[in-house]
Amino acid sequence: MTKLRNMVGDRIRDIRKAKGLTQQQLAELSNLDDAYIGSVERGERNFSIDSLEKIVIALKINPSELLQSYDKQNAVEAAKRGAVDEYTVAMSGLNVDEIERIKRIVKEVRGAFK
């Protein structure tokens, strides 16, 4: 049972960091205690769906993003997941044209490595 709780806590931490938020800032945005946020991230707290919803709303993410698991022991997979988290944050708030421009830039950069 704690495996899922730890995975969700890890994802909350990763997304929070990708968004440049401290535990205190996330606590304020979600109306939860910062010690509570820390214990959730460490997998120590058996959180409620209501608390999880507050965190999801504060992080401005889809709940499904918390269930996207990856192997932290695999450095390449961890780097990919971190890049996806940062890319998602960078894309938030952009319009369709801006998103399309970024996609073209990423495509060009990928081509440079082939």
Side-chain angles (χ1 to χ4, degrees):
M1 295 267 210
T2 60
K3 186 174 182 181
L4 179 61
R5 191 171 61 220
N6 287 334
M7 182 189 77
V8 170
D10 286 344
R11 289 295 297 140
I12 290 170
R13 180 185 307 109
D14 293 344
I15 294 168
R16 174 183 60 76
K17 286 183 176 183
K19 291 183 174 272
L21 296 171
T22 64
Q23 286 181 349
Q24 178 66 37
Q25 290 168 321
L26 179 56
E28 290 171 9
L29 290 170
S30 61
N31 292 318
L32 297 168
D33 186 75
D34 58 333
Y36 181 84
I37 296 292
S39 63
V40 167
E41 287 184 353
R42 290 187 299 276
E44 298 170 351
R45 182 72 60 138
N46 194 8
F47 46 83
S48 71
I49 294 296
D50 292 340
S51 295
L52 193 58
E53 182 179 31
K54 289 179 180 183
I55 293 169
V56 165
I57 290 169
L59 290 173
K60 298 178 184 170
I61 60 170
N62 292 318
S64 63
E65 292 182 55
L66 296 180
L67 300 176
Q68 295 173 351
S69 177
Y70 64 99
D71 182 5
K72 282 200 163 197
Q73 302 304 315
N74 181 331
V76 172
E77 196 61 31
K80 284 181 189 177
R81 185 74 245 161
V84 168
D85 288 343
E86 289 183 28
Y87 186 70
T88 302
V89 170
M91 302 295 279
S92 65
L94 299 181
N95 65 41
V96 174
D97 291 333
E98 293 167 332
I99 292 170
E100 289 302 319
R101 278 188 257 158
I102 289 177
K103 284 171 53 179
R104 285 193 301 274
I105 291 168
V106 169
K107 199 175 206 177
E108 287 182 35
V109 170
R110 273 189 32 207
F113 291 104
K114 291 183 179 184

